């Protein structure tokens, strides 16, 4: 037993050294390719890189032959021990990874920040690369793991043949390892399918604050699609009376339309037809954003309670946001300006047409995890959420009442060479995905052209304008203009009243919201 452990330890060290050597070869190969190929195609780069790596591995093979020469010459035990020792790092590494990954619920952040990560590196240095592979292409994890172990194993078998003149018997031990890795693969796949981490495409506008392009709703854009009144506005504010407006992504079109109608002379900030330089546009935008800003829900609300803006447009504030305002001694005033529906949507391929309120609670509490009992296919429910503090997440919390919400699905990514990050995963169009949003944002702003979806009825009631206005649709809500009670600007009161007037309601409806009763 003692001799076997020594042999296994020596093979483990060989495996680690071989991996380090392969990394150095890959780095040198990439450097040489970057020098030799300047204007070539990617195929030429891949071909040349592969050739350099193969040459490097051939050169790497010889030093390790001397590493094994004495050991294999004096080895008196059965060849079965050599086989088992050579397959031990692969099988132990696979089992350890599967167990650690499962223990971390499929979260790379948790795995990389735990002791497990260092144990994996101790077992095999290649896990440093393998974890990056898992981050982007988890389905290839077993393939890459095998490659990083099979190459040094093939070299080891050739050493035995050249030094001892015999072939390494690998069939039976390899069959056991394959069975072990099959179990590891099943555990890894189960963890990926049922963990909290999903992969999704991210879209960034407005310096990362918006998931859709807002340019068509901007007053600065001379080709904007903002609706206009057929008569002069009954409220016109001079520039020294203009209020600072900010709010949620879904609210931007409506408060932009309000400013366009009531802010006398604001059209002067439109880009003229003559081509402008980037600096000139930046100058216009900087001045314009003093009045019509966009910082999305979380940051815009912080600006409101810190008195950096006058009106915040969005859904009802969360309990946490109300507490933040109270901590600053501020009292919030909520003025409803339009009707809206909070809707749940799925892929258009999903056969489910309706959910009950209780089913929604069961899904987002984690009680129901499959579409089959809901009338769908035997498929996992990917119930996406929104970041804490966003308007739609606040509405979900309101719907859930006292029922705890399960941990949201996460997207993990590498923001830079400096580390790894994670965020709440966005709806990705998967056949089992379930998302939620405000109806106007989904159908009017987003359109879901990239991944067609259908809105679900709730308790058999579809969110039509009439059902929203009458309150028959269960998850009706309001779009609010939220202000501070301490803000005593006289024009603020006039502006709030105007938004509820026939003219304000006409613009809200033409944007895509529902008139108040």
């Amino acid at each position: 037993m003692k001799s076997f452990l020594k042999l296994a330890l020596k093979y483990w060290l060989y495996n680690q050294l071989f991996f380090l050597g392969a990394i150095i070869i890959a780095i040198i190969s990439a450097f040489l390719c970057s020098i030799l190929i300047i204007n070539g195609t990617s195929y030429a780069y891949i071909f040349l890189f592969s050739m350099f790596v193969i040459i490097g591995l051939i050169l790497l093979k010889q030093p390790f032959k001397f590493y094994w020469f004495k050991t294999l010459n004096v080895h008196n035990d059965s060849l079965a021990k050599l086989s088992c020792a050579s397959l031990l790092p692969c099988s132990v590494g696979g089992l350890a990874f599967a167990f650690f990954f499962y223990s971390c619920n499929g979260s790379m952040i948790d795995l990389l920040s735990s002791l497990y990560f260092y144990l994996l590196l101790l077992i095999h240095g290649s896990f440093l690369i393998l974890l990056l592979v898992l981050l982007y292409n988890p389905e290839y994890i077993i393939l890459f793991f095998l490659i990083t172990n099979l190459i040094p194993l093939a070299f080891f078998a050739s050493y035995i043949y050249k030094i001892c003149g015999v072939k390494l018997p690998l069939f039976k031990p390899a069959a056991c390892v394959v069975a072990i890795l099959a179990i590891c693969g099943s555990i890894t796949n189960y963890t990926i399918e049922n963990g909290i981490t999903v992969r999704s495409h991210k879209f960034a506008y407005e310096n990362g604050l918006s998931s859709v392009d807002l340019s068509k709703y901007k007053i600065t854009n001379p080709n904007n699609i903002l609706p206009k009144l057929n008569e002069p506005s009954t409220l016109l504010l001079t520039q020294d009376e203009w209020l600072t407006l900010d709010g949620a992504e879904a609210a931007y079109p409506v408060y932009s339309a309000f400013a366009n109608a009531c802010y006398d002379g604001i059209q002067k900030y439109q880009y003229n037809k003559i081509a402008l330089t980037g600096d000139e546009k930046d100058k216009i935008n900087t001045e314009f954003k003093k009045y019509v800003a966009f910082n999305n829900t979380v940051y815009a609300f912080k600006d409101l309670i810190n008195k950096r803006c006058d009106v915040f447009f969005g859904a009802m504030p969360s309990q946490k946001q109300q507490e933040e305002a109270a901590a600053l001694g501020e009292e919030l005033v909520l003025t409803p300006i339009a009707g809206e529906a909070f809707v749940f949507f799925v892929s258009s391929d999903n056969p489910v047409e309706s959910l009950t309120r209780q089913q929604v609670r069961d899904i987002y509490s984690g009680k129901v995890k499959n579409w089959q009992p809901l009338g769908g296919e035997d498929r996992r429910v990917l119930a996406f959420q929104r970041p804490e503090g966003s308007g739609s997440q606040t509405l979900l919390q309101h719907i859930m009442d006292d029922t705890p919400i399960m941990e949201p699905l996460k997207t993990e990514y590498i923001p830079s060479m400096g580390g790894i990050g994670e965020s709440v995963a966005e709806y990705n169009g998967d056949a089992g995905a379930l998302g939620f949003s405000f109806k106007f944002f989904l159908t009017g702003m987003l359109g879901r052209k990239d991944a067609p979806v259908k809105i679900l009825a709730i308790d058999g009631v579809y969110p039509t304008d009439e059902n929203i206005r009458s309150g028959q649709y269960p998850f009706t809500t309001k779009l609010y203009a939220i202000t501070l009670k301490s803000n005593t600007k006289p024009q603020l009161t006039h502006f709030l009243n105007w938004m509820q007037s026939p003219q304000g309601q006409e613009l809200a409806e033409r944007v895509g919201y529902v008139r108040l009763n």
Side-chain angles (χ1 to χ4, degrees):
M1 184 65 181
K2 187 176 181 180
S3 61
F4 172 75
L5 291 177
K6 285 184 177 180
L7 188 62
L9 181 62
K10 185 159 187 175
Y11 188 88
W12 167 81
L13 181 60
Y14 156 71
N15 221 351
Q16 295 282 56
L17 292 173
F18 191 95
F19 169 73
L20 291 175
I23 290 294
I24 293 172
I25 289 171
I27 293 173
I28 293 174
S29 299
F31 176 72
L32 291 175
C33 287
S34 65
I35 295 175
L36 297 175
I37 298 180
I38 299 176
N39 297 317
T41 65
S42 59
Y43 294 107
Y45 185 94
I46 293 171
F47 174 78
L48 192 60
F49 177 80
S50 301
M51 292 301 297
F52 281 141
V53 168
I54 292 172
I55 293 170
L57 289 175
I58 293 173
L59 295 175
L60 186 64
K61 184 180 178 181
Q62 191 62 28
F64 284 112
K65 183 179 179 181
F66 294 109
Y67 175 88
W68 283 111
F69 188 82
K70 182 177 180 181
T71 300
L72 295 176
N73 264 328
V74 300
H75 182 73
N76 297 317
D77 291 326
S78 66
L79 290 176
K81 285 188 176 182
L82 282 174
S83 299
C84 293
S86 62
L87 292 170
L88 199 60
C90 181
S91 53
V92 171
L95 283 171
F97 171 77
F99 174 75
F100 296 158
F101 190 56
Y102 176 80
S103 299
C104 294
N105 200 16
S107 171
M108 288 286 293
I109 296 294
D110 292 344
L111 182 58
L112 290 172
S113 61
S114 68
L115 180 62
Y116 296 151
F117 174 62
Y118 299 101
L119 292 175
L120 287 174
L121 290 184
L122 184 63
I123 294 171
H124 200 301
S126 64
F127 275 107
L128 180 65
I129 306 299
L130 292 171
L131 292 176
L132 299 182
V133 173
L134 177 65
L135 182 63
Y136 288 111
N137 299 101
E139 60 271 23
Y140 297 138
I141 184 69
I142 298 299
L143 175 63
F144 274 77
F145 183 67
L146 286 173
I147 290 174
T148 53
N149 281 274
L150 286 179
I151 294 177
L153 178 59
F155 283 7
F156 181 62
S158 72
Y159 300 147
I160 294 175
Y161 182 75
K162 290 180 179 180
I163 296 171
C164 303
V166 295
K167 293 183 179 180
L168 184 66
L170 288 171
F171 182 77
K172 288 184 179 179
C176 294
V177 172
V178 168
I180 291 172
L181 292 180
I183 296 172
C184 296
S186 298
I187 295 173
T188 301
N189 185 66
Y190 176 84
T191 305
I192 291 171
E193 290 296 320
N194 295 276
I196 61 172
T197 303
V198 297
R199 274 73 192 169
S200 65
H201 299 289
K202 299 176 72 66
F203 301 93
Y205 298 93
E206 303 295 323
N207 296 319
L209 294 173
S210 178
S211 60
V212 296
D213 187 358
L214 298 178
S215 61
K216 60 184 177 181
Y217 301 109
K218 289 189 173 182
I219 298 171
T220 52
N221 178 7
N223 299 313
N224 67 67
I225 62 170
L226 295 173
K228 296 177 176 60
L229 297 170
N230 295 323
E231 58 186 7
S233 173
T234 56
L235 175 68
L236 284 176
L237 301 176
T238 59
Q239 186 160 357
D240 60 346
E241 295 176 313
W242 291 355
L243 302 161
T244 302
L245 313 181
D246 206 341
E249 192 173 22
Y252 185 82
V254 75
Y255 71 78
S256 183
F258 288 160
N260 197 38
C262 295
Y263 285 16
D264 191 21
I266 198 168
Q267 288 76 21
K268 70 181 181 181
Y269 289 106
Q270 284 186 354
Y271 303 142
N272 58 40
K273 295 182 180 179
I274 302 174
L276 298 175
T277 65
D279 289 341
E280 289 171 331
K281 283 189 176 182
D282 289 342
K283 185 176 179 180
I284 291 174
N285 285 328
T286 300
E287 181 67 21
F288 175 76
K289 288 177 181 178
K290 293 179 182 178
Y291 308 107
V292 184
F294 173 75
N295 290 296
N296 216 323
T297 301
V298 175
Y299 298 115
F301 186 82
K302 289 185 181 295
D303 283 347
L304 173 71
I305 61 177
N306 285 284
K307 300 183 177 181
R308 291 190 289 266
C309 82
D310 296 298
V311 188
F312 166 84
F313 290 83
M316 67 175 71
S318 66
Q319 182 63 37
K320 182 180 179 180
Q321 287 171 325
Q322 294 179 47
E323 291 171 356
E324 289 175 351
L328 294 175
E330 298 293 346
E331 182 179 343
L332 302 176
V333 179
L334 277 64
T335 304
I337 58 171
E340 175 62 304
F342 185 65
V343 299
F344 291 84
F345 57 92
V346 295
S347 166
S348 56
D349 296 328
N350 193 322
V352 174
E353 299 289 342
S354 178
L355 294 174
T356 66
R357 279 176 276 194
Q358 187 56 49
Q359 286 172 335
V360 170
R361 294 189 184 100
D362 289 344
I363 290 171
Y364 278 95
S365 64
K367 184 178 179 181
V368 174
K369 298 181 179 181
N370 194 288
W371 281 107
Q372 199 167 43
L374 304 172
E377 299 173 348
D378 182 13
R379 187 186 299 274
R380 178 192 178 192
V381 178
L382 288 172
F384 288 84
Q385 298 184 43
R386 296 289 296 146
E388 180 68 29
S390 67
S392 51
Q393 187 70 13
T394 299
L395 260 294
L396 177 68
Q397 294 167 348
H398 179 72
I399 289 170
M400 296 294 286
D401 198 18
D402 293 330
T403 305
I405 302 176
M406 65 181 177
E407 187 175 0
L409 299 170
K410 300 290 182 66
T411 296
E412 295 177 338
Y413 59 94
I414 298 179
S416 66
M417 292 299 290
I420 183 173
E422 69 177 7
S423 62
V424 176
E426 297 177 359
Y427 180 89
N428 64 1
D430 187 278
L434 173 66
F436 56 76
S437 182
F438 294 105
K439 183 185 176 185
F440 167 68
F441 178 74
L442 180 66
T443 60
M445 295 182 70
L446 197 57
R448 295 313 305 181
K449 293 179 181 178
D450 59 318
V453 300
K454 64 179 177 183
I455 295 175
L456 299 177
I458 301 296
D459 291 337
V461 180
Y462 192 78
T464 63
D465 286 358
E466 183 55 40
N467 289 337
I468 296 171
R469 191 177 294 109
S470 67
Q472 187 176 356
Y473 178 73
F475 299 149
T476 56
T477 185
K478 296 286 192 298
L479 177 66
Y480 293 98
I482 304 177
T483 56
L484 300 180
K485 192 173 183 179
S486 60
N487 191 337
T488 58
K489 295 179 180 178
Q491 67 270 34
L492 177 59
T493 302
H494 298 321
F495 187 54
L496 295 175
N497 291 336
W498 179 87
M499 287 188 286
Q500 292 184 323
S501 73
Q503 285 190 335
Q505 290 301 291
E506 178 187 343
L507 283 182
E509 185 175 50
R510 289 175 60 186
V511 165
Y513 284 93
V514 178
R515 283 178 180 262
L516 298 172
N517 292 330

